[in-house]
Amino acid sequence: MQRTKRLFSKGIILNPKMVTQSQFSQIQFQAVLNNFSVLYNVMKAVNFVDNAIVQLSNDGMKVIVEDAKSIQTSAYITRACFSDFKLAIAKRPSSDSGDTQTFIAFGLNLKVFTDCLSMFTSGDYNSSLKMIQKGTGAPLIVILEQHGEDSLITECSVRTMDPFECMELDFEDEQQIVSKINVKGAEFFQLLSEMDRNCDEIEVAISPDAPHLMFHSFGELHSETSVEITNTSDMLITFSCTDASRNRYKFHHFRLAMRTLALASKVALRTNSEGLLGLQVMIENNDSSHIFVEYFILPLTTDNDQTTI
């Protein structure tokens, strides 16, 4: 009980009866975010499905969502974003290879978590977020505190679930990457905003030769919009392309990405030989730290040979 009292005196818990001494020994994660408005906006942007996987590692917090096995989004809240970050990872094998587990994972209803954060995001208040997870199967405890003359504190307990299987998508094989492009966030968001919002598909063509980057949308009644960009454009920060590629994607997936592109300072666009498109969005946090949101979008297939186009 003495540990519980110390925990209460340090402000980690607000109810001295909330955690017993035995439960305290199971706490594996606690973190504090002094200003969580950017986190709230990011979580709201990636909340296009209810359930997400949360991965906690010594590098920070990662939230993964995916829809219909055709788009996957990962939001990385780096450790630098937190004023306090403590994680206890058990040293146990994660596979038959004997490698030790490097992160803790659990399922979370992202809509419920986002609704909790929305309580203290209105107005010009100085608010902080504290998260605690006691152990495997335990809920994620969210403590919101609004600082000021009328200090308000709210505690939420969000139920966690077993993590579900998700697609393994990455660009670890450098030899398969055919293009790497860094673009300015505001300009890239404006470009996509000017495309036909009613279109069904968007074709992305990247080439070592001019026009180096082209977006072509296909909508109802054969309406089309096309934008061509050369590698000398002020929008581009860097441009690298080894092989020409032309792939079509659902424009709906780009609309989902635009929720975070509106917050972006820089976007990294990559494609590989199979047509997998990666958009890594860098978002500046209030304290000059960064949150990264990465989208993996799978290409559409042809009707003839069922291969990517």
Side-chain angles (χ1 to χ4, degrees):
M1 193 64 184
Q2 293 300 318
R3 284 186 174 180
T4 301
K5 291 180 179 179
R6 288 199 298 270
L7 196 63
F8 174 70
S9 65
K10 292 180 179 179
I12 296 177
I13 64 172
L14 304 177
N15 185 341
K17 297 181 180 180
M18 190 176 91
V19 183
T20 65
Q21 184 171 347
S22 61
Q23 287 174 318
F24 173 74
S25 63
Q26 297 175 359
I27 288 181
Q28 62 182 5
F29 169 67
Q30 65 182 49
V32 177
L33 205 59
N34 287 332
N35 191 319
F36 60 91
S37 60
V38 175
L39 172 67
Y40 168 70
N41 289 329
V42 170
M43 292 296 100
K44 187 171 63 172
V46 302
N47 185 206
F48 52 84
V49 294
D50 285 346
N51 294 328
I53 294 177
V54 176
Q55 291 181 354
L56 303 172
S57 71
N58 289 323
D59 295 326
M61 180 177 180
K62 180 179 178 182
V63 180
I64 306 171
V65 297
E66 67 179 34
D67 185 35
K69 299 297 181 182
S70 56
I71 180 172
Q72 183 183 98
T73 305
S74 299
Y76 302 84
I77 302 89
T78 59
R79 187 167 183 151
C81 295
F82 298 91
S83 59
D84 180 55
F85 189 94
K86 296 176 182 177
L87 180 65
I89 301 178
K91 299 294 184 181
R92 61 178 182 272
S94 60
S95 65
D96 295 336
S97 63
D99 296 335
T100 57
Q101 182 174 331
T102 57
F103 61 84
I104 295 169
F106 53 85
L108 189 73
N109 188 305
L110 195 57
K111 184 179 186 305
V112 173
F113 179 65
T114 305
D115 287 344
C116 291
L117 298 183
S118 68
M119 295 180 186
F120 284 173
T121 54
S122 60
D124 298 326
Y125 301 105
N126 178 19
S127 303
S128 62
L129 163 69
K130 187 176 296 181
M131 292 180 288
I132 299 174
Q133 216 241 351
K134 303 175 192 175
T136 303
L140 179 67
I141 299 170
V142 179
I143 303 173
L144 305 169
E145 183 172 0
Q146 189 180 92
H147 307 284
E149 295 182 1
D150 299 324
S151 182
L152 299 175
I153 298 174
T154 298
E155 292 186 24
C156 304
S157 180
V158 184
R159 184 173 65 89
T160 62
M161 302 166 281
D162 291 334
F164 51 86
E165 293 291 330
C166 60
M167 297 180 290
E168 296 184 6
L169 303 173
D170 56 56
F171 287 102
E172 291 185 357
D173 189 350
E174 290 285 337
Q175 293 183 345
Q176 288 194 356
I177 297 177
V178 296
S179 62
K180 295 180 181 180
I181 306 170
N182 289 321
V183 301
K184 297 176 182 177
E187 284 85 343
F188 189 57
F189 172 75
Q190 184 64 31
L191 181 151
L192 292 179
S193 298
E194 294 174 354
M195 305 292 288
D196 183 2
R197 291 297 188 93
N198 296 318
C199 68
D200 300 317
E201 300 176 6
I202 184 169
E203 185 176 77
V204 181
I206 307 173
S207 172
D209 305 314
H212 302 92
L213 178 61
M214 184 181 72
F215 296 91
H216 195 128
S217 65
F218 302 86
E220 297 178 354
L221 302 176
H222 304 287
S223 62
E224 299 182 14
T225 305
S226 183
V227 178
E228 296 182 354
I229 303 169
T230 64
N231 60 3
T232 58
S233 170
D234 291 337
M235 179 190 301
L236 304 186
I237 301 172
T238 62
F239 180 89
S240 173
C241 178
T242 56
D243 294 302
S245 62
R246 185 182 295 268
N247 298 283
R248 284 195 188 187
Y249 307 89
K250 288 184 178 180
F251 193 73
H252 170 68
H253 294 154
F254 278 75
R255 283 195 290 266
L256 295 178
M258 287 180 68
R259 299 177 182 180
T260 51
L261 288 173
L263 309 171
S265 58
K266 185 171 70 173
V267 180
L269 187 153
R270 291 175 293 175
T271 58
N272 67 8
S273 56
E274 297 178 347
L276 178 65
L277 173 67
L279 296 173
Q280 188 181 70
V281 183
M282 186 176 76
I283 300 169
E284 294 183 358
N285 204 16
N286 297 298
D287 57 357
S288 299
S289 58
H290 297 94
I291 294 177
F292 295 91
V293 182
E294 187 162 26
Y295 292 85
F296 288 108
I297 304 176
L298 275 69
L300 298 173
T301 58
T302 62
D303 295 329
N304 295 327
D305 57 12
Q306 294 299 307
T307 57
T308 58
I309 59 174

